[in-house]
Amino acid sequence: MHKIFSFLMIFFLISCSSKAQDTSKENKKYKITKTDAQWKKELTDKQYNVLRKSGTERAFSSPLNDNHNSGVFVCAACKTPLYKSEHKFESGSGWPSFDRSIKENVELDVDYKIGYARTELKCNTCGGHLGHSFDDGPKRTTGKRHCINGAALEFIAKK
């Protein structure tokens, strides 16, 4: 009887192990993949921390937050176009903010790093962490705010 009870307890514990907090795209294969050493060699320390380790830069520290020029914001790691300047807006958050991304180039994922679900934004080409999406953006457009780390971006001015 004790063996049956032990077996049932083990079976119950195994069956209850949850993957609810795992991201569904955790093992996604990206078009551009590199080793950790390669990324460290190619990116600045700040870019590496943000893009590869899902870090967050200090608010109001990026010069791209005040960039109002026409052009496109690309992934600092792989140069994929991510955001058009005409979709950038002043959110007051201290990070570059956009109401939408360039279709198909930004992946929406879920992270639980601070204890609850947030919509994480990643480059769909290299998987680099960009920032998070919130529902407090401009109501006259999409209502979304893509809050992006400036270290994850580079700006290419319109010619």
Side-chain angles (χ1 to χ4, degrees), residues 6 8 12-13 19 28-30 34 39 44 53 58 60 62 70 86 88 93 96 99 102 111 114 133 157:
S6 296
L8 289 174
F12 177 74
L13 290 173
K19 296 280 187 187
K28 178 179 175 180
K29 300 290 183 205
Y30 293 96
K34 298 181 182 184
W39 286 123
T44 68
K53 296 298 178 185
R58 232 177 48 251
F60 301 101
S62 173
S70 292
E86 59 259 30
K88 187 174 185 287
S93 67
D99 69 353
I102 295 175
D111 84 41
I114 62 172
S133 178

Side-chain angles (χ1 to χ4, degrees), residues 95-130:
W95 290 277
S97 298
F98 304 86
D99 69 353
R100 72 196 83 169
S101 62
I102 295 175
K103 197 173 180 111
E104 308 291 325
N105 291 358
V106 174
E107 170 187 353
L108 277 63
D109 207 347
V110 178
D111 84 41
Y112 294 88
K113 292 178 186 97
I114 62 172
Y116 61 90
R118 294 186 298 171
T119 302
E120 180 181 15
L121 301 167
K122 295 179 180 179
C123 173
N124 204 26
T125 302
C126 71
H129 170 79
L130 304 172

Side-chain angles (χ1 to χ4, degrees), residues 14-68:
I14 291 171
S15 66
C16 288
S17 67
S18 173
K19 296 280 187 187
Q21 291 191 3
D22 288 350
T23 60
S24 60
K25 299 174 186 176
E26 196 170 278
N27 296 318
K28 178 179 175 180
K29 300 290 183 205
Y30 293 96
K31 292 176 196 165
I32 296 176
T33 56
K34 298 181 182 184
T35 66
D36 214 35
Q38 288 172 311
W39 286 123
K40 276 186 178 181
K41 187 177 178 181
E42 293 179 20
L43 301 170
T44 68
D45 289 343
K46 187 185 284 190
Q47 289 172 327
Y48 177 80
N49 181 51
V50 169
L51 287 159
R52 306 319 307 169
K53 296 298 178 185
S54 300
T56 302
E57 67 188 4
R58 232 177 48 251
F60 301 101
S61 67
S62 173
L64 293 180
N65 193 40
D66 294 321
N67 182 332
H68 303 289

